[in-house]
Structures are given as structure tokens and as C-alpha cells.
């Protein structure tokens, strides 16, 4: 079977070239062999091309092996946030129906065969085009509360990664510091696949630890929270950042003050870009031209952007084909994907993100659906109604806050404690409300629909 050029290009890099540092260096040849042996093991577990394989792992060799194994076999990766608890995983597993899971937490995967490590089998070196070219299914927080599956094709990724490579001048000489979790587009597609497609290399970090970036990296991809947390070490070790070729910020709005402080300390202007799981990257500031703080730059080559009634809409070869298995008829209008982000063009033709038309809270670069949090906390005894929103936060940009109406059966203190316990057991850390307020009623419109956008000012007295 012919390989799509995405796979062909990955397979063509010279065997001895360094690819990833994960405790030690792995060359491209070693990565391919790792993938082929993992594919053999997956086949022994009954996985066939087109089957979904759930991967709930932190950055590390097993995660990379699982991804490459699926590619070598033609299976579909189902990357899952490694922090997700059983209640957050259940609807995703129901929709994606994976054949098996790989996770250090088998107790989160009721009834599904779950392995806590990746195994090794006799090599399978097919690297086929997966059915419909779908190589991964990425679930993204829906505004409805239920995460939505966005199928990812090699074609989407290749066109987008080539556009980024052109805009950011990505060459095989580059070395990325890759500590973003490889279960989101940012770390998985731009980080891992962006480097492996270009024949470049990456030093994999298990997570962002606020320490200096490794000495031999040239590029860093991060979220605003990273750069904010890095400010003290930028002050004490500016040369460790000054020597970098490129520092990219994305996934969440970069406050101008952070951008300016980084610049003052290191002489580096963070390059901000904008993307979404459904579209991969949409717009970016330039590598060499003016990087305008407060904007996300201009459309990437091949991407069309329009602003309709204040909403950013996108089309082009890197935009996905629609949610699965639950299509959302409102996701596209006249062939344009509706991002739910509000935007405008500035005087230089750069895109500015001015707000969100969707009910979404972004915590440390991680999307949180307030509706999902409400759904998981509503059943706590003593709660009559609950409404969640985002409140600004000096570390994570935003955190989740909850306004609660009591039903009178328990005291405020008891309900507060019970909500804390429930959040601890049902929600991953960044989704847990950090602020609670107890109120008589929630803001609703004439139809009785909860108006989350009014909660911050009306019930917490701040944004
Ligand atoms: C940490 N926690 C999480 C996550 N990471 N919960 C859910 N999802 C996560 N990804 C938990 C911690 O375990 C902890 O829980 C609690 O949240 C907060 O602890 P904290 O110490 O502040 O967290 P941390 O471990 O330091 O991590 C914060 C972080 C990290 C450095 C901001 O989450 C991070 O690197 N985020 C980047 C996210 C990202 O890649 N976003 C891209 C998606 P406990 O209290 O139980 O210990 S958006 C995307 O892909 C689009 C396409 C785009 O434009 O890029
Ligand atoms: P996700 O669904 O996880 O792919 O997150 C996509 C969302 O992250 C977008 O719809 C935006 O709301 C937000 N986002 C990504 N990059 C930026 C950015 N540079 N500035 C502001 N918001 C961003």
C-alpha cells in the first residue's frame, strides 16, 4: 500500500540522525524499530488497522512507542489527558470505543482491556494509510459539556506542519524543548510530529518544571503560564533564554505584560500563534518580521480566515472534516469552520483575539468546559443549582469558579467540603473550581438558560 507522503517523509530520515532525547538519545532508525515492535505487540493484542487505541500516558518512551506503534500498524490513536479521572474518561471511551487502553491507571478504564506498559512483539513494518486517512481522534472540550471527537488526518497535519515550517523556518538542525503534554495538538502535532516530519530533534521533558530549558535546545513551544513561571529564572539566568532561536506561545492569550517582561529580561520577543484542535494552526506572527504583542499574526499559508459577526471562521486543507461520532451541524457555516473565538483585524492586518463566543475556560492552556464541571458536581447532596465560569488568575490566566445555590438540606460548610471531595475524585486538577460563592439564584435569561458570562461580575464582583 502506498504511504501518504507524511509517513514517507518520516520513514526517509536517515537511520542515524538523532530524533528524540528521552533519558537518552533515540535515532530515527531506533524510533522506527520501536514503533514496529510496538505494532507487533498491538497486533498480538488483537488490534487491527482502524481500531482505536487509547493512550493515557505522560510524556515518555511508552507514549512515543504507543504512537509510533499505532502508525506502523495503521491503528487510530486516541490520546487522553493523563490527568483525567474515570468520570471524565467515561463519555470519551463510550464515543471512541477503543479496542484497548494503555495507562498507568487501569482502574479508570472499566471493562476495557488496559495495559500499564507498552509491550514489544515481532516487528510489523506496514506503516499503511489508515482507513480514511484518520490517524488520531482528539477529544476536545465541547461547550455542551461532552467532549467532542475531532478526527485528525495525515493530510491535515502535513499541510499545516509544512505551513508552520515555512513560517518558522523549521529545519533538521533545530532542537525543540518538548515538555508540553503530548495528548493535545500543541505538544503532539506541533511538537512531536512537527519535529519528526522535518527531520529535526527534540528533548522530551516529562512536564514543565520551571527549570532552565536544556542547554542544547534551540526552540521552545509553551503556553503563557510557562513563560510567566519562567520569569524568575529568566532574571537570574537570562543567557539560557537569550541564546534560543525561537520561543513560541500559544493555546491561550499571552498577556502583553508577560511578553514585555520576557523581552526586557532576555531580549527575546515571544512569538504568539493561534490554533485549535479542529483546525491545527490558524495564524501566527512572523519569525523575522514584526511580532505584534496582543495579536496572533496573520493567516498561515493555505489557511483562509474570515470574521463574520465578530466570530473568527476558518477553512482550508488543515481544517478537520467534522466531529465523530456525534456530528455537530452548527460547526460549519457555508463551508467555514466556526471557531467560537471573537476577533478583529488590527491596522497592520494582524489578527487580534478579542474574546470567546463559547462557554469555555482556559486554565494553564487546557480547555475546560464549565458545563462538564457543573454536570459532575451537580449531584452533590445539598446543591440545588450550580453555575461555573472562569475567573482571571495570576498564574494560570484563568481558573474555574463555581456559584452554588443550596437546597437547604445541608450547611454551606458541609456542601463546600462535599464539593471539594467530589471535585477531587471526579475531575483532573485544572478543572477543579478554585473559588466558590453561595448565592440565592443564578443569572438566567427569560428562557431560563444559565448565563455564565454574567457570573464573574455579578456574583464574584470581579472578572
Ligand atoms: C496538570 N494538571 C492537569 C493538567 N496538568 N489537569 C488537567 N489537565 C492537564 N493538562 C493538574 C495537576 O496534576 C494538579 O492536580 C493541578 O492540575 C494543578 O497543578 P499545577 O501544579 O499548577 O500543574 P502543573 O503540573 O504545574 O501543570 C500546569 C501547566 C501544564 C504547566 C500549565 O498543565 C501545562 O504544561 N499545560 C499546557 C497545556 C497544553 O499543552 N495545552 C495545549 C492545548 P493535583 O492538584 O491533583 O496534583 S490547546 C491546543 O493544543 C491548541 C490546538 C493550541 O492552540 O495549542
Ligand atoms: P483546543 O480546543 O484545546 O484546541 O483550544 C483551542 C482554543 O484555544 C481556541 O479556540 C482559542 O480559544 C484558544 N487559543 C489558542 N491559541 C490562542 C491564542 N494565541 N490566544 C488566545 N486564545 C488561544
Amino acid at each position: 500500500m502506498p504511504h501518504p507522503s507524511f509517513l514517507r517523509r518520516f520513514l526517509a530520515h536517515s537511520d542515524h540522525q538523532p530524533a528524540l532525547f528521552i533519558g537518552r538519545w533515540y535515532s530515527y532508525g531506533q524510533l522506527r524499530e520501536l514503533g514496529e515492535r510496538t505494532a507487533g505487540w498491538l497486533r498480538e493484542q488483537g488490534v487491527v488497522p482502524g481500531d482505536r487505541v487509547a493512550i493515557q500516558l505522560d510524556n515518555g518512551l511508552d507514549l512515543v512507542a504507543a504512537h509510533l506503534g499505532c502508525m506502523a500498524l495503521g491503528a487510530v490513536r486516541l490520546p487522553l489527558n493523563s490527568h483525567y479521572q474515570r468520570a471524565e474518561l467515561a463519555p470519551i471511551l463510550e464515543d471512541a470505543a477503543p479496542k484497548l487502553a494503555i495507562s498507568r491507571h487501569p482502574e479508570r478504564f472499566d471493562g476495557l482491556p488496559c495495559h500499564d506498559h507498552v509491550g514489544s512483539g515481532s516487528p510489523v513494518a506496514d506503516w499503511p494509510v489508515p482507513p480514511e486517512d484518520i490517524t488520531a481522534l482528539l477529544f476536545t472540550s465541547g461547550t455542551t459539556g461532552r467532549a467532542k471527537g475531532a478526527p485528525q488526518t495525515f493530510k491535515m497535519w502535513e499541510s499545516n506542519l509544512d505551513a508552520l515550517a515555512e513560517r518558522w523556518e523549521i529545519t533538521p538542525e533545530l532542537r525543540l524543548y518538548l515538555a508540553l503534554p503530548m495528548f493535545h495538538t500543541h505538544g503532539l502535532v506541533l511538537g512531536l510530529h512537527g519535529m519528526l516530519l522535518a527531520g529535526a530533534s527534540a528533548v522530551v521533558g516529562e512536564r514543565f518544571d520551571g527549570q532552565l530549558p536544556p542547554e542544547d535546545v534551540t526552540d521552545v513551544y509553551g503556553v503563557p503560564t510557562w513563560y510567566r513561571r519562567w520569569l524568575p529564572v529568566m532574571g537570574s539566568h537570562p543567557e539560557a533564554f537569550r541564546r534560543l532561536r525561537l520561543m513560541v506561545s500559544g493555546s491561550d492569550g499571552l498577556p502583553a505584560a508577560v511578553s514585555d517582561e520576557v523581552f526586557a529580561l532576555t531580549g527575546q520577543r515571544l512569538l504568539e500563534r493561534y490554533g485549535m484542535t479542529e483546525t491545527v494552526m490558524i495564524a501566527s506572527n512572523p519569525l523575522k518580521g514584526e511580532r505584534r504583542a496582543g495579536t496572533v499574526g496573520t493567516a498561515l499559508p493555505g489557511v483562509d480566515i474570515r470574521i463574520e459577526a465578530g466570530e473568527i471562521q476558518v477553512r482550508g486543507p488543515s481544517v478537520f472534516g467534522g466531529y465523530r461520532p456525534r456530528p455537530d451541524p452548527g460547526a460549519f457555516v457555508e463551508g467555514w469552520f466556526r471557531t467560537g473565538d471573537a476577533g478583529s483585524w488590527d491596522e497592520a492586518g494582524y489578527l487580534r483575539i478579542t474574546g470567546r463566543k463559547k462557554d469555555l475556560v482556559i486554565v494553564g492552556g487546557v480547555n475546560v468546559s464549565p458545563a462538564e464541571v457543573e454536570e459532575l458536581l451537580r449531584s452533590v447532596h445539598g446543591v440545588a443549582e450550580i453555575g461555573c465560569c472562569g475567573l482571571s488568575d495570576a498564574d494560570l490566566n484563568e481558573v474555574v469558579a463555581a456559584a452554588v445555590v443550596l437546597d437547604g438540606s445541608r450547611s454551606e460548610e458541609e456542601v463546600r467540603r462535599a464539593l471539594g471531595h467530589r471535585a477531587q475524585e471526579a475531575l483532573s486538577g485544572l478543572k477543579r473550581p478554585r473559588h466558590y460563592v453561595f448565592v440565592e439564584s443564578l443569572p438566567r435569561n427569560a428562557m431560563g438558560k444559565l448565563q455564565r458570562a454574567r457570573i464573574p461580575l455579578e456574583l464574584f464582583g470581579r472578572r
Side-chain angles (χ1 to χ4, degrees), residues 330-395:
F332 291 85
V333 54
E334 298 158 356
W336 293 78
F337 174 68
R338 305 181 55 181
T339 62
D341 293 312
S344 61
W345 299 106
D346 81 354
E347 60 284 1
Y350 282 42
L351 183 64
R352 202 186 283 285
I353 297 175
T354 53
R356 280 178 223 136
K357 289 175 168 285
K358 49 193 175 190
D359 272 336
L360 190 69
V361 186
I362 303 186
V363 187
V366 175
N367 286 7
V368 178
S369 152
E372 182 194 12
V373 178
E374 290 161 10
E375 225 163 279
L376 288 169
L377 297 182
R378 186 173 289 126
S379 58
V380 166
H381 179 46
V383 172
E385 292 174 65
I386 182 164
C388 292
C389 66
L391 284 185
S392 61
D393 184 79
D395 173 40

Side-chain angles (χ1 to χ4, degrees), residues 85-102:
Q85 312 274 9
R86 187 202 227 135
E88 296 167 281
L89 293 172
I92 298 176
L93 297 173
E94 186 192 356
D95 282 355
K99 186 75 159 261
L100 62 82
I102 306 163

Side-chain angles (χ1 to χ4, degrees), residues 385-444:
E385 292 174 65
I386 182 164
C388 292
C389 66
L391 284 185
S392 61
D393 184 79
D395 173 40
L396 295 162
N397 266 11
E398 269 188 306
V399 292
V400 178
V404 180
V405 179
L406 298 173
D407 69 9
S409 65
R410 288 168 107 185
S411 73
E412 194 177 298
E413 231 5 80
E414 286 172 317
V415 173
R416 187 189 290 272
R417 217 173 311 119
L419 281 166
H421 283 143
R422 174 78 178 138
Q424 190 72 27
E425 110 202 329
L427 292 167
S428 51
L430 295 180
K431 287 189 191 169
R432 291 176 204 140
R434 306 271 176 116
H435 307 281
Y436 286 101
V437 65
F438 292 87
V439 293
E440 291 298 316
S441 64
L442 299 178
R444 295 186 183 276

Side-chain angles (χ1 to χ4, degrees), residues 195-214:
M195 295 307 109
L196 296 184
L197 188 67
S201 57
V203 176
V204 175
E206 191 174 338
R207 65 172 62 82
F208 177 76
D209 58 10
Q211 303 297 307
L212 293 177

Side-chain angles (χ1 to χ4, degrees), residues 81 83 184-186 226 229 251 273 275 364-366 429-430 432:
N81 187 321
H83 302 269
H184 294 303
T185 294
H186 201 169
W226 282 31
R229 288 186 184 179
S251 309
R273 67 24 168 210
V366 175
L430 295 180
R432 291 176 204 140

